[in-house]
């Protein structure tokens, strides 16, 4: 990948979506964002790899719809970069439908810390903001965007995006992971669990800074190497584990899907369930996962 070309293309795409995000009604803005993504998203260059991976893992019947959904989610998710600051609690409750077997109402009342394990799909930050409806402090682990070669091309946009998300975290913040992650950051995650609050983590893409705390897991006809450090840490506390994601379901509506993970079989059991729910997510909406463009299966 030519980082300069990709970064410039992505910056132009985001600047167009900044203006589109102001259009009302929101459902129209999303449709225009999808149209823009179809012709101007830098992800267009990943079409063949995405389709090939979908074919390998899910089968031919998922290819065309999977790619179409991939583009739609690209448009909506990138439009939401500029909408996040406007997503009040009232907005979230109106526009997000909650599904899955995890009891959200009980989550409002629990006195246990909760680890939400989401995925590198198109809406992971909207997922974190949706979890803010529980009214508890949130800390989200994420790779430091400054490590990306394309970060300088839209640093101002991404810095504001992170700030806008953190405004929903009830006093929490992002814990940015890189090769120099300070011990204080790790301690803040442990303290969050000790204080019975919320940690959100993404464990479906290999973390080069945690190579020794990783696990190879069956994924269709292949393997995924997944980081396990946060799971190992969380198991030292009496924690509820939940897998989940957010997906756009049309118009101005999203669905937050949450599924209970049984921790009784340790790290391996938790990670196997986590990958199982990833496969459920893909069979519902093959285009939701950005992982298709990260790997060659």
């Amino acid at each position: 990948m030519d980082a300069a070309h990709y970064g410039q293309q992505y910056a132009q795409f985001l600047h167009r979506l900044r203006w589109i995000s102001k259009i009302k009604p929101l459902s129209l803005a999303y449709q225009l964002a999808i149209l823009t993504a179809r012709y101007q998203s830098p992800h267009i260059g990943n079409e063949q790899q995405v389709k090939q991976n979908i074919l390998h893992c899910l089968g031919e019947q998922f290819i065309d719809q999977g790619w179409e959904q991939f583009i739609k989610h690209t448009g909506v998710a990138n439009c939401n970069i500029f909408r996040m600051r406007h997503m009040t609690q009232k907005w979230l409750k109106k526009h997000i439908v909650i599904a899955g077997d995890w009891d959200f109402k009980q989550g409002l009342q629990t006195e246990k810390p909760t680890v939400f394990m989401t995925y590198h799909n198109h809406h992971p930050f909207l997922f974190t903001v949706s979890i803010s409806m529980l009214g508890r402090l949130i800390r989200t682990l994420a790779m430091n965007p400054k490590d990306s070669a394309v970060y300088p091309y839209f640093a101002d946009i991404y810095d504001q995006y992170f700030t806008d998300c953190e405004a929903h975290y009830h006093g929490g913040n992002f814990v940015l992971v890189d090769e120099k992650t300070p011990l204080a950051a790790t301690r803040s995650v442990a303290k969050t669990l000790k204080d019975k609050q919320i940690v959100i983590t993404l464990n479906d893409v290999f973390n080069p800074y945690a190579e020794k705390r990783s696990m190879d897991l069956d994924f269709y006809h292949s393997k995924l190497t997944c980081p396990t450090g946060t799971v190992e840490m969380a198991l030292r506390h009496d924690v509820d584990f939940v897998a989940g994601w957010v997906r756009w379901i049309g118009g101005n509506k999203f669905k937050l899907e949450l599924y209970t993970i049984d921790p009784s079989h340790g790290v391996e059991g938790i990670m196997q369930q986590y990958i199982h729910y990833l496969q459920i997510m893909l069979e519902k909406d093959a285009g939701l996962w950005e992982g298709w463009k990260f790997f060659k299966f």
Side-chain angles (χ1 to χ4, degrees):
M1 178 186 72
D2 182 340
H5 176 72
Y6 186 87
Q8 291 165 0
Q9 188 180 8
Y10 213 136
Q12 291 172 357
F13 176 56
L14 290 175
H15 283 299
R16 292 185 181 102
L17 291 183
R18 187 201 300 270
W19 289 105
I20 289 172
S21 71
K22 300 175 182 179
I23 293 172
K24 296 180 180 179
L26 183 56
S27 56
L28 175 59
Y30 285 155
Q31 289 302 322
L32 291 173
I34 290 168
L35 185 63
T36 302
R38 185 166 284 122
Y39 297 103
Q40 298 176 347
S41 165
H43 294 326
I44 293 170
N46 299 116
E47 179 177 359
Q48 290 308 311
Q49 183 173 332
V50 169
K51 287 183 173 180
Q52 187 62 40
N53 282 335
I54 291 174
L55 172 64
H56 176 78
C57 294
L58 295 172
E60 187 174 0
Q61 69 272 27
F62 287 88
I63 294 175
D64 291 337
Q65 186 179 19
W67 174 248
E68 176 66 13
Q69 286 296 105
F70 192 95
I71 288 297
K72 286 182 176 181
H73 288 303
T74 295
V76 172
N78 283 276
C79 184
N80 276 342
I81 288 175
F82 307 101
R83 296 285 315 164
M84 204 65 73
R85 70 191 67 175
H86 305 296
M87 293 181 181
T88 63
Q89 291 294 304
K90 182 178 179 180
W91 189 96
L92 293 170
K93 290 172 183 176
K94 179 179 178 181
H95 294 276
I96 294 181
V97 178
I98 300 172
D101 68 8
W102 189 71
D103 190 335
F104 199 89
K105 291 182 179 179
Q106 184 178 343
L108 290 166
Q109 303 169 353
T110 185
E111 295 184 357
K112 292 177 65 176
T114 310
V115 173
F116 289 92
M117 301 174 68
T118 191
Y119 305 90
H120 284 80
N121 62 74
H122 293 275
H123 309 280
F125 287 177
L126 180 56
F127 177 86
T128 72
V129 170
S130 300
I131 295 301
S132 75
M133 290 189 289
L134 289 168
R136 296 156 61 196
L137 182 144
I138 294 171
R139 284 203 166 86
T140 296
L141 284 90
M143 297 293 288
N144 193 333
K146 294 180 181 179
D147 281 357
S148 170
V150 300
Y151 172 78
Y153 295 94
F154 37 84
D156 58 332
I157 293 174
Y158 257 52
D159 289 347
Q160 185 63 54
Y161 186 30
F162 275 58
T163 298
D164 291 343
C165 291
E166 285 181 333
H168 295 275
Y169 286 3
H170 302 290
N173 62 291
F174 281 98
V175 177
L176 299 179
V177 178
D178 56 32
E179 63 179 347
K180 297 180 180 179
T181 301
L183 183 60
T186 303
R187 286 175 176 166
S188 73
V189 175
K191 186 177 186 304
T192 303
L193 297 173
K194 185 177 180 181
D195 292 344
K196 301 178 181 179
Q197 302 295 339
I198 290 172
V199 170
I200 300 178
T201 180
L202 295 85
N203 298 75
D204 57 326
V205 173
F206 174 67
N207 180 350
Y209 308 123
E211 186 171 359
K212 293 180 179 179
R213 290 187 168 182
S214 299
M215 182 177 292
D216 290 335
L217 293 147
D218 291 333
F219 178 72
Y220 293 107
H221 316 295
S222 305
K223 296 278 188 181
L224 279 183
T225 301
C226 299
T228 60
T230 51
V231 174
E232 294 171 24
M233 180 189 297
L235 279 171
R236 300 182 194 127
H237 304 265
D238 184 18
V239 170
D240 284 335
F241 288 90
V242 184
W245 57 86
V246 164
R247 61 190 178 103
W248 179 68
I249 55 175
N252 57 16
K253 294 287 188 180
F254 298 83
K255 182 175 285 189
L256 171 63
E257 300 193 44
L258 300 169
Y259 296 91
T260 303
I261 288 180
D262 176 5
S264 62
H265 297 288
V267 175
E268 184 172 357
I270 290 168
M271 295 305 298
Q272 287 174 344
Q273 292 171 79
Y274 174 71
I275 294 302
H276 168 72
Y277 286 119
L278 171 59
Q279 294 178 171
I280 287 176
M281 181 186 88
L282 296 178
E283 286 155 22
K284 289 184 176 184
D285 189 339
L288 185 57
W289 195 42
E290 286 197 290
W292 297 129
K293 66 185 178 69
F294 298 147
F295 305 109
K296 290 186 178 180
F297 292 112

